[in-house]
Amino acid sequence: MIFNEIFLLLQLYLMQNSYLCTAKIGCTSAETNKFATALGLHYLCTQIYRYCMQNIRNIAIIAHVDHGKTTLVDKMLLAGNLFRSNQSTGELMLDNNDLERERGITILSKNVSINYKGTKINIIDTPGHSDFGGEVERVLNMADGCILLVDAFEGPMPQTRFVLQKALQIGLKPIVVVNKVDKPNCRPEEVYEMVFDLMFSLEATEDQLDFPVIYGSAKNNWMSTDWKTPTDNIFALLDCIVENIPAPTQLEGTPQMLVTSLDYSSYTGRIAVGRVHRGTLKEGMNVTLVKRNGDMLKSKIKELHVFEGLGRVKTSEVSSGDICALVGIDGFEIGDTVCDFENPEALPPIAIDEPTMSMLFAINDSPFFGKDGKFVTSRHIHDRLMRELDKNLALRVKKSEEDGKWIVSGRGVLHLSVLIETMRREGYELQVGQPQVIYREIDGVKCEPIEELTINVPEEYSSKIIDMVTRRKGEMVKMENTGERINLEFDMPSRGIIGLRTNVLTASAGEAIMAHRFKEYQPHKGEIERRTNGSMIAMESGTAFAYAIDKLQDRGKFFIFPQDEVYAGQVVGEHSHDNDLVINVTKSKKLTNMRASGSDDKVRLIPPVQFSLEEALEYIKEDEYVEVTPKAMRMRKVILDEIERKRANKS
């Protein structure tokens, strides 16, 4: 073989793609290995490979919801030349499930990588909502630095604080990106000062406070060190990452890897994803899996993958610092450690904040049971909740004393509603009770979760909002004027936030921006006034008629359309008074052979109120359920029969 082919062999070895060797040089991988061994290249290649592995940057992107994380990752992927020039990529490439695209939020963290000037940059996109804090906490362990993305107008928001605090505690080096500087009312310098103050208040180290700042607009695909001089690319940010984020430290010794995420393939089953902490992992290697509780399982790595672009490529070994996926490891959970076969040493498991809210999940026992869904039995729902526990660290599931019921605890209404919505789309039928906060007893005192609530509203609505929040036991902490809008900060019980969003949006004509995050447990604040209006309940099963609804419109607001199928005990509207009212919406007009002028005027119906899943969960009372099926969502009384309900209320 000529020198060029040897050089090519070296290159291909470094790329860890032995199948390419076969294609390019025209010899089998066994022959290639034989040839490499004869020339003594294996040791050389391995050393060069290890040197190249130093040239890695692991970085997490953290920010408040809607500040542009996923859009920025899109532009970084384009800058890494991952796509053909004529390839249509679309937007928000990483938000690839339907729920994420519909809601415009990131729910699950994603791993991708790009190559820039010979450096491999592993990018981890994280959710912005504090409800998905479990996702953020586990993936930050894989990073050496973070990009803190801040809106040039809004500045740091509650969730920014939440994820930044986690990142600083781990010791990540931050790069601040002030995004959306093309907005007409932006204030980049002020926002930079606010970020510095925030970091200082979160007790950042001297090194962390000495952070570089990049300004730009991810949407318009430019980044610069000066916000007044736009460029036509985002290379300023990529250069900043390569210069400022430290390469992973190469730790020699027995291999260790903390499982921080999991993937699933219908061919190979569950795949463990994590960052190699120490040593080297190889394909076909025997390893020990140390569980969180200390149990040890012997296993074998069948395949090794590293992240490249939007996908994964097979490799023969990975060393300390790289993020990889292991195929063939059985029985693992997030937080377990993959370590040496002979001398297993476990890494400390991931610490996760405890849930603050719980909900009752029950099998669907309404008269319309089993009409829409494929999975309707208690076994189906139980198995699905157990599968969710594998990857959703912040979730807790406890079997209720009653058969076919579970108490599911999570971080907030959004966290639990995403789970319900996912199950609904998969074909499950279930019923969900009113969200309840989780109380704790601290030093003999009953305590409840308190949240930091931020509401940004136009000035003219501020007094209404303040009145509304203080009625729900909210305490104002801060009030600042930002041009025509006012930023209000409150400490508020989690109970008071349930059902608040709808009222705030109504009171502010849809102008309010509301965000909240868990702060701490404080002594119980006393009773909070929830929904005061009663429900209108269907008297009997059948089809709702416009004639009947028309005659009852003065009694309250309806939630159903004419010709909708209803059943006895279903909540069909909101009563204008505080008591429940049983009504007959299935009554039709009796036909006669008499005609009279003016008696058959057209029915004029007010459009019914349509709830989203979160709004319905926040709306229902203690004695009501939300029935969720793949095609419908209904509210109902727990006890459907009117006489039984009266009996239960008396007792």
Side-chain angles (χ1 to χ4, degrees):
M1 282 191 180
I2 56 173
F3 178 76
N4 286 345
E5 288 177 324
I6 296 171
F7 184 69
L8 181 64
L9 175 65
L10 261 171
Q11 275 187 311
L12 294 168
Y13 188 98
L14 295 180
M15 287 166 67
Q16 297 285 290
N17 284 336
S18 57
Y19 65 90
L20 277 179
C21 296
T22 310
K24 294 270 186 183
I25 304 173
C27 54
T28 64
S29 56
E31 286 171 346
T32 307
N33 279 331
K34 196 173 171 183
F35 178 71
T37 309
L39 287 174
L41 287 177
H42 262 295
Y43 176 74
L44 174 66
C45 289
T46 308
Q47 292 306 311
I48 297 172
Y49 174 68
R50 287 194 173 169
Y51 172 76
C52 292
M53 287 299 289
Q54 288 280 347
N55 218 11
I56 290 178
R57 303 289 184 271
N58 297 321
I59 192 153
I61 299 187
I62 55 177
H64 182 79
V65 64
D66 271 347
H67 279 197
K69 292 183 296 300
T70 308
T71 307
L72 180 63
V73 175
D74 280 4
K75 302 304 181 205
M76 287 170 84
L77 293 176
L78 290 171
N81 299 320
L82 287 183
F83 308 102
R84 298 189 311 273
S85 56
N86 62 347
Q87 189 174 347
S88 169
T89 57
E91 290 183 351
L92 305 176
M93 289 171 267
L94 292 194
D95 285 352
N96 47 17
N97 77 33
D98 293 344
L99 254 179
E100 290 182 319
R101 286 195 168 273
E102 282 170 27
R103 292 168 179 254
I105 59 173
T106 302
I107 296 168
L108 302 166
S109 60
K110 317 282 191 319
N111 290 44
V112 289
S113 85
I114 60 168
N115 277 304
Y116 177 71
K117 293 183 179 175
T119 302
K120 182 181 181 184
I121 303 174
N122 287 316
I123 307 163
I124 307 157
D125 187 21
T126 63
H129 277 277
S130 59
D131 278 27
F132 307 114
E135 282 286 312
V136 178
E137 284 161 35
R138 65 184 175 81
V139 296
L140 285 180
N141 286 298
M142 294 198 277
D144 296 299
C146 62
I147 294 177
L148 176 69
L149 203 66
V150 189
D151 188 298
F153 169 66
E154 290 181 4
M157 298 287 276
Q159 267 92 316
T160 318
R161 186 185 180 96
F162 169 79
V163 281
L164 183 61
Q165 190 173 11
K166 299 279 179 199
L168 294 176
Q169 282 169 356
I170 296 171
L172 301 187
K173 170 85 178 175
I175 292 174
V176 173
V177 175
V178 179
N179 194 23
K180 305 187 185 182
V181 295
D182 53 330
K183 278 188 170 178
N185 51 1
C186 68
R187 42 188 191 135
E189 277 103 350
E190 276 181 62
V191 166
Y192 167 70
E193 294 296 331
M194 287 159 82
V195 171
F196 187 87
D197 293 345
L198 175 63
M199 287 211 193
F200 188 76
S201 68
L202 293 173
E203 298 175 359
T205 62
E206 288 287 325
D207 184 47
Q208 286 172 330
L209 284 172
D210 186 24
F211 54 85
V213 186
I214 303 287
Y215 301 93
S217 166
K219 195 173 181 183
N220 295 331
N221 196 22
W222 69 268
M223 292 284 157
S224 170
T225 48
D226 181 13
W227 70 277
K228 291 172 186 167
T229 52
T231 58
D232 57 358
N233 57 52
I234 62 160
F235 295 156
L237 173 62
L238 297 175
D239 289 331
C240 187
I241 293 171
V242 174
E243 285 165 25
N244 292 284
I245 301 297
T249 47
Q250 291 284 84
L251 298 173
E252 296 295 328
T254 55
Q256 279 181 314
M257 185 190 103
L258 189 70
V259 179
T260 48
S261 188
L262 62 88
D263 208 342
Y264 185 79
S265 159
S266 49
Y267 296 104
T268 55
R270 292 165 79 229
I271 301 167
V273 178
R275 173 182 160 175
V276 182
H277 177 70
R278 185 178 76 195
T280 305
L281 289 172
K282 296 179 182 175
E283 192 178 1
M285 189 179 188
N286 289 322
V287 289
T288 303
L289 180 72
V290 182
K291 308 282 288 179
R292 292 177 77 138
N293 58 5
D295 292 350
M296 294 188 188
L297 300 172
K298 302 295 181 188
S299 201
K300 183 177 182 175
I301 301 170
K302 289 179 185 165
E303 286 181 18
L304 263 176
H305 295 230
V306 288
F307 290 88
E308 201 156 292
L310 290 167
R312 294 196 300 263
V313 292
K314 200 172 167 186
T315 180
S316 58
E317 70 172 62
V318 283
S319 60
S320 140
D322 204 358
I323 297 171
C324 65
L326 310 182
V327 177
I329 309 284
D330 292 326
F332 71 86
E333 288 168 2
I334 290 168
D336 296 350
T337 308
V338 175
C339 40
D340 189 57
F341 188 76
E342 301 292 339
N343 305 309
E345 284 180 67
L347 287 162
I350 305 163
I352 299 286
D353 288 349
E354 288 297 305
T356 56
M357 197 164 281
S358 69
M359 255 182 228
L360 182 77
F361 280 44
I363 57 169
N364 188 10
D365 60 357
S366 82
F368 294 169
F369 150 84
K371 277 191 177 180
D372 301 342
K374 288 189 288 187
F375 309 111
V376 293
T377 64
S378 60
R379 183 177 58 84
H380 283 139
I381 295 172
H382 178 264
D383 291 353
R384 178 64 183 82
L385 289 173
M386 292 300 119
R387 281 207 308 279
E388 188 67 26
L389 282 179
D390 280 347
K391 56 179 187 287
N392 202 331
L393 285 192
L395 204 71
R396 303 280 184 278
V397 177
K398 191 171 100 189
K399 189 88 172 76
S400 175
E401 291 165 11
E402 292 178 66
D403 202 34
K405 292 184 179 177
W406 302 262
I407 293 160
V408 181
S409 311
R411 285 282 181 86
V413 175
L414 182 65
H415 183 204
L416 293 168
S417 76
V418 163
L419 168 62
I420 299 164
E421 182 66 27
T422 310
M423 286 174 70
R424 181 176 85 82
R425 293 182 181 208
E426 289 171 4
Y428 287 84
E429 280 192 17
L430 66 155
Q431 295 183 142
V432 196
Q434 187 191 40
Q436 304 288 338
V437 300
I438 298 171
Y439 295 103
R440 282 190 194 166
E441 197 161 298
I442 302 170
D443 302 330
V445 179
K446 183 183 177 185
C447 294
E448 65 175 330
I450 301 292
E451 308 227 1
E452 248 175 52
L453 172 71
T454 307
I455 303 176
N456 187 287
V457 286
E459 203 167 337
E460 61 265 32
Y461 301 116
S462 58
S463 56
K464 275 188 197 172
I465 303 297
I466 293 167
D467 178 55
M468 197 181 287
V469 175
T470 45
R471 278 173 189 257
R472 292 173 173 240
K473 306 288 187 227
E475 293 174 18
M476 189 184 286
V477 177
K478 191 174 164 189
M479 181 175 177
E480 61 178 353
N481 208 324
T482 55
E484 293 172 6
R485 296 175 76 89
I486 286 183
N487 221 22
L488 305 167
E489 280 186 31
F490 302 90
D491 282 354
M492 183 157 186
S494 296
R495 291 178 297 143
I497 290 176
I498 299 172
L500 180 67
R501 188 180 299 274
T502 317
N503 294 350
V504 163
L505 287 172
T506 309
S508 65
E511 288 273 346
I513 302 166
M514 181 175 144
H516 55 92
R517 64 169 284 269
F518 171 71
K519 186 180 178 186
E520 60 187 356
Y521 271 83
Q522 287 183 12
H524 189 261
K525 303 286 182 190
E527 288 303 311
I528 291 177
E529 188 182 284
R530 290 282 303 271
R531 177 185 130 206
T532 50
N533 291 31
S535 303
M536 292 201 290
I537 307 155
M539 185 187 286
E540 55 188 57
S541 303
T543 306
F545 288 105
Y547 171 77
I549 295 173
D550 179 45
K551 301 292 182 223
L552 293 161
Q553 284 190 124
D554 57 337
R555 298 299 185 94
K557 292 184 281 195
F558 276 91
F559 305 151
I560 56 166
F561 288 92
Q563 299 302 306
D564 278 0
E565 293 293 319
V566 298
Y567 54 80
Q570 184 180 331
V571 175
V572 292
E574 182 182 287
H575 193 200
S576 46
H577 299 288
D578 58 1
N579 60 316
D580 288 347
L581 180 70
V582 179
I583 56 173
N584 186 4
V585 288
T586 60
K587 186 179 172 188
S588 60
K589 186 173 191 281
K590 298 290 179 276
L591 298 177
T592 68
N593 58 356
M594 297 288 285
R595 289 188 182 175
S597 88
S599 64
D600 283 341
D601 284 343
K602 281 191 177 144
V603 170
R604 288 188 181 167
L605 295 181
I606 300 161
V609 179
Q610 296 286 283
F611 288 101
S612 69
L613 180 58
E614 284 96 65
E615 287 166 350
L617 292 170
E618 291 177 342
Y619 179 80
I620 57 172
K621 290 187 167 181
E622 287 175 10
D623 63 340
E624 292 169 355
Y625 282 153
V626 176
E627 178 193 348
V628 182
T629 73
K631 292 180 185 172
M633 190 181 73
R634 305 178 189 92
M635 286 179 271
R636 54 160 285 186
K637 289 287 178 186
V638 173
I639 304 167
L640 294 175
D641 186 70
E642 189 187 349
I643 298 160
E644 290 290 327
R645 251 194 332 268
K646 283 179 178 170
R647 260 190 215 134
N649 289 338
K650 278 180 186 172
S651 59

